[in-house]
Amino acid sequence: VSRFATANDIIASVALHPSTSVDRNKTESYGIEVPILYFTGSADDIVPAAEVMNSYKEDPIYPKIYAEIKGATHFEPTGFGTNYEDPYVGIYFDCWIKGNSSACNDYFYNEKSKDYICTGGVEMTKCYLNVTKS
């Protein structure tokens, strides 16, 4: 999701257990230009949650979301996992691509909503939303 994103009409991205530590020269992870929802799992031993958190911290674009599912492994978003992330991915794209304000507010940007990603669904070990640089 680099500098080519806006040229190709990409307006948001979801990163499922992303590994950027192997991208030593930052050719793949450099120049983020769109909001990203980062998913990881507390039991992911292939791409540890701490690595995903580092990517989240280095991401210069706001808003951004970090969601660490309690007990989830690297295979969470696959046929071998429970696929708890799947609905959030669709709703996130409804929010950004379709401009669905209910999807945005109810699931991602209203901490008081019963459906808020950090508290209203699957149990999270850690979950952060940064709307602006603090």
Side-chain angles (χ1 to χ4, degrees), residues 40-44 47-54 66 68 126:
T40 187
S42 65
D44 189 335
V47 179
E51 184 176 327
V52 178
M53 174 56 83
N54 287 338
Y66 174 88
E68 181 181 304
K126 296 176 184 169

Side-chain angles (χ1 to χ4, degrees), residues 67-86:
E68 181 181 304
I69 298 174
K70 183 177 182 179
T73 70
H74 192 70
F75 298 102
E76 168 62 30
T78 71
F80 299 106
T82 53
N83 298 294
Y84 286 129
E85 299 164 352
D86 290 0

Side-chain angles (χ1 to χ4, degrees), residues 13-18 20 32 34-40 52-61 64-68 92 117:
S13 179
V14 175
L16 302 176
H17 305 251
T20 57
I32 294 171
V34 297
I36 298 179
L37 166 56
Y38 292 87
F39 265 113
T40 187
V52 178
M53 174 56 83
N54 287 338
S55 297
Y56 170 80
K57 287 179 178 177
E58 291 178 11
D59 179 350
I61 301 300
K64 59 185 179 179
I65 302 168
Y66 174 88
E68 181 181 304
Y92 189 74
I117 187 172

